[in-house]
Amino acid sequence: MSVRLATDDDWRAILEVHGAAFADEDVPRLARELYESDVYVPELSFVAVAEGKVVGHVMNTWSGVEGSTERLLQLSPLGVLPERQHEGFGS
């Protein structure tokens, strides 16, 4: 297993990971929307790779604080293919 920065070329696989991990379309949609927004932090978006395949992903985005100009860094979503869960990829 290796962990590396996500690249633009990884996004098809990333969305597949989140779709499988959460068994719905809401999380992949959210991940895509965050990726395409100005809150996405590319240097804090990582993929776990096993046997040449993306098996996990986690990203960080900026989140506003209501009533404040401050921003917080938020880690979400984190997804791992179901068949590769409990192997340490989400750690």
Side-chain angles (χ1 to χ4, degrees):
M1 170 189 63
S2 65
V3 175
R4 62 170 172 76
L5 284 176
T7 67
D8 290 338
D9 292 339
D10 291 323
W11 275 90
R12 179 183 202 107
I14 288 169
L15 296 177
E16 290 174 5
V17 165
H18 289 302
F22 294 95
D24 69 25
E25 290 303 313
D26 289 336
V27 177
R29 177 190 49 75
L30 174 64
R32 183 180 59 251
E33 289 174 3
L34 290 169
Y35 168 68
E36 294 171 349
S37 76
D38 63 349
V39 299
Y40 177 65
V41 184
E43 59 272 16
L44 293 175
S45 178
F46 301 95
V47 291
V49 179
E51 297 147 13
K53 179 179 179 180
V54 172
V55 299
H57 174 255
V58 64
M59 66 192 293
N60 290 268
T61 56
W62 289 107
S63 181
V65 177
E66 189 174 332
S68 173
T69 59
E70 295 203 34
R71 300 186 309 165
L72 300 174
L73 195 58
Q74 176 177 318
L75 185 145
S76 179
L78 184 154
V80 177
L81 290 176
E83 63 270 19
R84 301 308 299 256
Q85 292 177 2
H86 308 289
E87 295 180 27
F89 293 107
S91 297

